[in-house]
Amino acid sequence: EVHLVESGGGLVQAGGSLRLSCATSGFTFEDYVIGWARQGPGKEREGVASIDIVDGKTFYSKFVEGRFTISRDHEKNTVYLQMNGLMPEDTAVYYCAAGTNFGLGPGLYDHWGQGTQVTVSS
């Protein structure tokens, strides 16, 4: 059974940093694309970053490019999202997801974690 477990969320001041982790199990890590999406209060879920586990190819939303970095650790079957320069509008529940198609659209992903809350104060 596929499991995705996010961690690392919390409360941070504007301009601060957080690193989210997505620990995966129950599937062959290299067979999937892993993405991060977020859902802010009253907003639709939106993709923010994705990574092809095999070749490391990455893709970012225009709203986070240059501030967020997605990476993977093959030994730990874990994907990270390093978030720098956080802004209040980044406040959301952040989810990691696994799928077989590369891209940001939440509809591309088949399996989802439970999410971790990120709150950025001004």
Side-chain angles (χ1 to χ4, degrees):
E1 185 178 357
V2 175
H3 282 287
L4 303 162
V5 180
E6 302 95 336
S7 62
L11 173 64
V12 64
Q13 289 187 331
S17 298
L18 284 173
R19 189 177 81 154
L20 305 183
S21 299
C22 174
T24 75
S25 62
F27 61 97
T28 302
F29 193 54
E30 288 74 14
D31 285 347
Y32 280 79
V33 172
I34 304 294
W36 285 95
R38 65 187 182 187
Q39 188 163 14
K43 298 180 180 180
E44 293 186 355
R45 192 171 297 189
E46 62 174 359
V48 296
S50 61
I51 187 165
D52 185 310
I53 298 301
V54 173
D55 62 15
K57 180 174 61 175
T58 59
F59 190 35
Y60 296 94
S61 159
K62 64 181 181 180
F63 301 109
V64 308
E65 190 164 20
R67 299 188 296 125
F68 291 12
T69 303
I70 189 170
S71 62
R72 85 282 196 211
D73 185 325
H74 289 273
E75 290 187 2
K76 297 181 179 180
N77 287 355
T78 298
V79 171
Y80 303 97
L81 186 68
Q82 177 67 44
M83 305 186 296
N84 299 328
L86 284 162
M87 302 183 290
E89 48 265 49
D90 294 317
T91 294
V93 178
Y94 283 72
Y95 300 89
C96 69
T100 56
N101 295 295
F102 186 72
L104 293 180
L108 294 173
Y109 295 91
D110 304 309
H111 308 284
W112 291 84
Q114 293 300 305
T116 185
Q117 176 70 46
V118 171
T119 303
V120 185
S121 62
S122 57

